Amino acid sequence: MTSLDLFYPTIQPVERGDSQMTTETGITDRSVEAIVVGGGAIGLTSAIALASCGVETALVARPHAAPDHRTTALLHGSVAALAALGVWHACRSHAAPLRAIRIVDDTSRLMRAPEAHFSAEEIGLEAFGENVENRYLLAALEARAKSLPALAWLPSEAEKLAFAPAHAILVLKSGARVTGKLVVGADGRSSLCRTQAGIALKTWNGGGQHALTLNLRHARPHHDTSTEFHTETGPFTLVPLPGRRSSLVYVMDDAARPARLSDQDLAEEIEARSHSILGKIEVEPGRGFFPLGTETVSAFSGPRLVLAGEAGHVLPPIGAQGLNLGLRDAATIAELVADAHRAGADIGATELTARYDRMRRADVMGRTLAVDLLNHSLLSDFLPWQATRGLGLFLIQQIAPLRRAAMREGVMPAASAPRLMRGEPL
C-alpha cells in the first residue's frame, strides 16, 4: 500500500453538479480544469494565461501581506508575454528600459577581462527588456487575474495534494477541496506540490555568497544602461529604474556585513564600488539579503503536475535569468494546455506533462550551467578560468556576428520560444 492509497480515499473528487459545502472562510469545494498553486509572479502569470484561453482555473494563494520593493529585470520576451496577456500596460509607466549593458572587470587579478558593451539597437530592439519594481508588477498581475471570469482566486494555502488517474485533488488549509485535471506547482522553493509528488531536489550552496538587494537614488543619469561590475566576491550590478533611480544586486561573502552598515555608510560604499559613475548615492528603505544557491529538480513534471518557477529551479540573481526562466515555464505550459483544450484533449494527460518536462529541461539546464560557470569564474583564482572568461568577453566584443548571436540568445533562447514570448496570442 502506498501513501496515495492511504490518503486518496478520504478526498474523493467533487463533481460540478454536487452541492457546494462552504467552509469557515467562505471557500467552497469545487471542480475546475486547472489548479495553480502559488501567488507570486509565476503563479499569477500561469493562472492568467490559462484562464485567458478559456481554461477554468483556480488560483490557490494568500494575498500579499506587504509590498515587495525588490525589482525584476524583465527581458524582451517576458515583456512581450505580459503585453499579450493584458498585464504590461498597467505597470509600464513604473519600468525603465534596458537599452544597453556594460560589463566591467573590477577585480585586481592578473588576468582581467576587457570592458564589454552591448546595445539592444544592434539586434533591432529598442531595449533588452524593462526593469520594474515587483510591487507594481504584482499589482498589475493581481488586477488582471481578478478581471478574468474563468479564474477563481481562493485565498488559502495548500495542505495536501493527491493524484489519481483522471484528476488531482488539492486540500486547502481552510478545509475545502479542489479537484482538477492539472496542477501547476508555482509555490516556490519549499514547494508542497513538488514534495507531495515525490520529485527529488538537488541543491548546490553558493560557497558562502549572499546577495544584498535594494533601490537607490543617484545624482547622475543612468542613460538606460545596466552596469555590471565583476568583483572577486561576485557581481555588483546597477540596473536602471525610472528617473535617477536604480536597483542594486550586490553579491558578497560576508553575511553579517549589511547589518553593520548605516544607510550613509552603505551609500558611500556603493558610490566607491561603482566608481561614482552615478554620482552621489542615496539608499532607499527596504534592503533584502539572502544566501545564494542553485537548485534543480529531477523532473519538471509528474502525473497531473507541472512545476514552474522556483518550485522547479533556483538560480543566483546573475544575468536576470531567474524570473524570466519562470515566465518561460508559465508560457510553455499555457501553450501546451491551450492547444489541448482547443482539441478537446485531457489537459493533464501524461503525454502533455512529459512534453513539458522535455521542453523545459534544455532551457533550465543550459541557463543554470551558464550562470554557475560565470559565477565560479569570478570566484576562482585559477588562472585558466580567468583567462577563459577574459578571452570569451574579448571575442564577443570584437566579433560582431558572435556578439549579436550572444545578445539574441540572452534575450530569447532559440530552444525556448513559446508563442507568448513572441508576443503572439495563445
Side-chain angles (χ1 to χ4, degrees), residues 198-224:
I199 297 175
L201 181 68
K202 185 176 181 180
T203 302
W204 300 266
N205 64 43
Q209 286 178 296
H210 288 69
L212 170 67
T213 61
L214 53 83
N215 298 332
L216 49 87
R217 298 182 182 275
H218 41 79
R220 297 174 182 167
H222 47 55
H223 301 296
D224 299 331

Side-chain angles (χ1 to χ4, degrees), residues 118-130:
F118 305 93
S119 171
E121 186 179 18
E122 189 176 354
I123 56 172
L125 298 177
E126 289 188 9
F128 291 116
E130 303 271 346

Side-chain angles (χ1 to χ4, degrees), residues 19-93:
S19 60
Q20 301 287 290
M21 180 181 68
T22 303
T23 68
E24 68 278 6
T25 62
I27 301 176
T28 58
D29 291 356
R30 66 186 64 208
S31 179
V32 294
E33 294 178 88
I35 305 168
V36 178
V37 184
I42 306 306
L44 284 162
T45 302
S46 299
I48 291 167
L50 293 172
S52 293
C53 56
V55 175
E56 188 179 3
T57 303
L59 173 64
V60 177
R62 295 278 189 194
H64 293 93
D68 186 350
H69 292 278
R70 295 173 300 171
T71 68
T72 294
L74 296 166
L75 297 178
H76 178 75
S78 297
V79 174
L82 292 172
L85 292 173
V87 173
W88 184 244
H89 72 279
C91 57
R92 68 186 309 167
S93 63

Side-chain angles (χ1 to χ4, degrees), residues 384-396:
W385 269 107
Q386 299 171 29
T388 300
R389 180 169 60 89
L391 177 61
L393 282 172
F394 173 79
L395 292 175
I396 287 174

Side-chain angles (χ1 to χ4, degrees), residues 180-403:
K181 296 291 186 182
L182 175 71
V183 176
V184 179
D187 47 345
R189 297 187 184 197
S190 302
S191 172
L192 176 135
C193 295
R194 181 186 66 230
T195 302
Q196 299 260 294
I199 297 175
L201 181 68
K202 185 176 181 180
T203 302
W204 300 266
N205 64 43
Q209 286 178 296
H210 288 69
L212 170 67
T213 61
L214 53 83
N215 298 332
L216 49 87
R217 298 182 182 275
H218 41 79
R220 297 174 182 167
H222 47 55
H223 301 296
D224 299 331
T225 297
S226 176
T227 303
E228 184 170 310
F229 294 93
H230 287 179
T231 77
E232 286 90 347
T233 62
F236 176 97
T237 307
L238 292 159
V239 189
L241 283 171
R244 294 193 178 184
R245 299 176 65 234
S246 293
S247 60
L248 171 70
V249 179
Y250 182 0
V251 178
M252 59 181 69
D253 56 8
D254 184 350
R257 195 156 181 280
R260 299 196 302 262
L261 295 175
S262 66
D263 283 355
Q264 181 61 38
D265 289 341
L266 182 55
E268 290 175 0
E269 177 168 325
I270 292 170
E271 183 177 347
R273 285 194 170 269
S274 62
H275 300 276
S276 297
I277 62 170
L278 296 177
K280 184 175 177 57
I281 298 295
E282 179 185 343
V283 173
E284 295 183 357
R287 301 185 199 181
F289 194 67
F290 51 92
L292 298 194
T294 301
E295 298 179 356
T296 57
V297 289
S298 59
F300 296 95
S301 69
R304 305 260 164 213
L305 172 71
V306 296
L307 299 176
E310 291 193 338
H313 46 78
V314 175
L315 276 70
I318 297 172
Q321 294 303 317
L323 191 130
N324 288 282
L325 203 58
L327 289 174
R328 290 201 291 276
D329 296 340
T332 300
I333 191 57
E335 182 171 315
L336 293 173
V337 169
D339 290 345
H341 180 69
R342 277 192 292 268
D346 183 353
I347 67 168
T350 300
E351 294 80 5
L352 186 147
T353 58
R355 187 179 175 195
Y356 173 82
D357 178 79
R358 291 192 300 272
M359 292 176 71
R360 296 307 302 137
R361 185 168 298 276
D363 187 20
V364 172
M365 294 307 181
R367 298 288 148 162
T368 300
L369 178 62
V371 168
D372 193 54
L373 287 175
L374 173 60
N375 194 32
H376 278 80
S377 73
L378 296 178
L379 301 179
S380 177
D381 288 323
F382 189 46
L383 283 177
W385 269 107
Q386 299 171 29
T388 300
R389 180 169 60 89
L391 177 61
L393 282 172
F394 173 79
L395 292 175
I396 287 174
Q397 194 64 26
Q398 295 299 315
I399 304 173
L402 181 61
R403 183 174 61 256

